[in-house]
Amino acid sequence: MKSIRLRNHRCYFIALLGYFKSKPVILSPSFNLIFDDMQFISTQVQGGKGIRPFSINKMQRDRIYQRILRLLNYQKWDESLHFAPLYEHLVMVGKAWLEPRYLFDAAAEYLATHRIAIPKYTVLQKLISRVIQQVKKALNNKLRIHVSSELHGFLNTIIDDKDGLSLSQLRAGAKSVMVTELKKELTVYHQLQPYTRQIDNAVKGLALRDPLIISPKRNHV
């Protein structure tokens, strides 16, 4: 910081450093947007008077961020270098849980682990959208291979049937050990039993991943 000649630029450096340590995103805040922080830094951290409004150009801000990235051992997001590896990682994660917010968190975790600054939201939005399309396409192709026409018809029946066996019944399970609840379980079992082997083979063929294996720091169920 001491190598920065202008005092107002030193204050701006301190502010951007604090923001980046809080969340590794490269920002371009105007003086008015961070007025209170700049006054605090000028008086309490730099030990001087308040600071007058000033503007900073892109080149000056880039130089400040170069210092911050070097200081914290981070890289600036470079699409030509970082897009493909992150995309491949998220495709693997998506095989376990194809939910946009989960993929966003997984992307942030990957970037933090590899010391890469988080890019603009639109970049991650485009990336996650492509990942979802790719994983769905791959799953559909595998389903065509591993799901027989007989099982396909049965699954369609479950989705469409409002009176008989439904997905909600399959997911609910018995609520107690009462005879009526156990009878419901037996009914589900008998309807699924003819397709059990085919379902097991299809699940193995899909090669779905366990989210706990991919992201051991998280406790998803």
Side-chain angles (χ1 to χ4, degrees):
M1 182 196 67
K2 292 179 180 178
S3 65
I4 300 175
R5 184 172 57 86
L6 298 177
R7 183 174 182 275
N8 54 2
H9 286 191
R10 289 199 297 269
C11 292
Y12 195 69
F13 166 83
I14 293 171
L16 294 186
L17 175 63
Y19 301 148
F20 193 89
K21 291 182 74 175
S22 175
K23 187 174 184 179
V25 177
I26 293 178
L27 307 171
S28 55
S30 65
F31 184 92
N32 290 335
L33 189 63
I34 58 173
F35 177 83
D36 291 340
D37 290 344
M38 292 295 289
Q39 296 303 326
F40 178 85
I41 291 168
S42 180
T43 57
Q44 304 299 319
V45 180
Q46 289 287 283
K49 297 181 179 180
I51 189 169
R52 293 178 177 274
F54 67 93
S55 60
I56 190 165
N57 61 43
K58 183 179 183 302
M59 184 179 294
Q60 292 168 330
R61 186 170 57 251
D62 288 346
R63 287 176 180 171
I64 288 175
Y65 266 117
Q66 286 175 6
R67 295 171 185 267
I68 292 172
L69 293 170
R70 187 167 59 249
L71 178 65
L72 300 180
N73 191 30
Y74 259 80
Q75 305 174 60
K76 186 178 181 180
W77 169 264
D78 185 334
E79 189 153 337
S80 63
L81 295 176
H82 303 136
F83 189 95
L86 179 54
Y87 175 81
E88 292 175 5
H89 173 73
L90 292 182
V91 167
M92 182 182 68
V93 173
K95 293 178 181 179
W97 194 350
L98 198 60
E99 197 274 325
R101 180 52 194 262
Y102 181 75
L103 293 175
F104 183 88
D105 290 344
E109 185 175 345
Y110 175 94
L111 293 169
T113 301
H114 291 80
R115 313 291 289 182
I116 302 169
I118 299 174
K120 293 180 180 179
Y121 176 76
T122 53
V123 173
L124 292 180
Q125 189 178 38
K126 180 179 72 172
L127 175 63
I128 290 171
S129 177
R130 284 184 55 181
V131 167
I132 291 173
Q133 292 175 8
Q134 173 60 31
V135 174
K136 285 184 176 180
K137 181 180 178 181
L139 286 174
N140 283 333
N141 290 337
K142 287 183 177 180
L143 282 171
R144 290 191 186 97
I145 296 171
H146 296 286
V147 175
S148 66
S149 58
E150 182 186 17
L151 179 56
H152 187 271
F154 172 70
L155 294 175
N156 281 337
T157 301
I158 293 176
I159 295 172
D160 298 332
D161 195 349
K162 296 180 181 179
D163 298 321
L165 181 62
S166 65
L167 286 175
S168 59
Q169 287 177 278
L170 286 173
R171 296 169 65 181
K175 298 178 182 178
S176 68
V177 292
M178 298 293 290
V179 174
T180 53
E181 290 296 314
L182 293 179
K183 282 183 177 180
K184 291 179 183 178
E185 286 283 281
L186 285 172
T187 300
V188 170
Y189 168 77
H190 286 305
Q191 289 183 276
L192 283 177
Q193 197 276 331
Y195 305 98
T196 301
R197 181 171 294 181
Q198 292 186 57
I199 292 171
D200 287 342
N201 291 336
V203 170
K204 290 178 182 178
L206 291 174
L208 300 176
R209 303 292 298 274
D210 185 343
L212 295 179
I213 295 175
I214 294 174
S215 184
K217 295 180 181 179
R218 303 180 186 279
N219 186 25
H220 291 290
V221 178

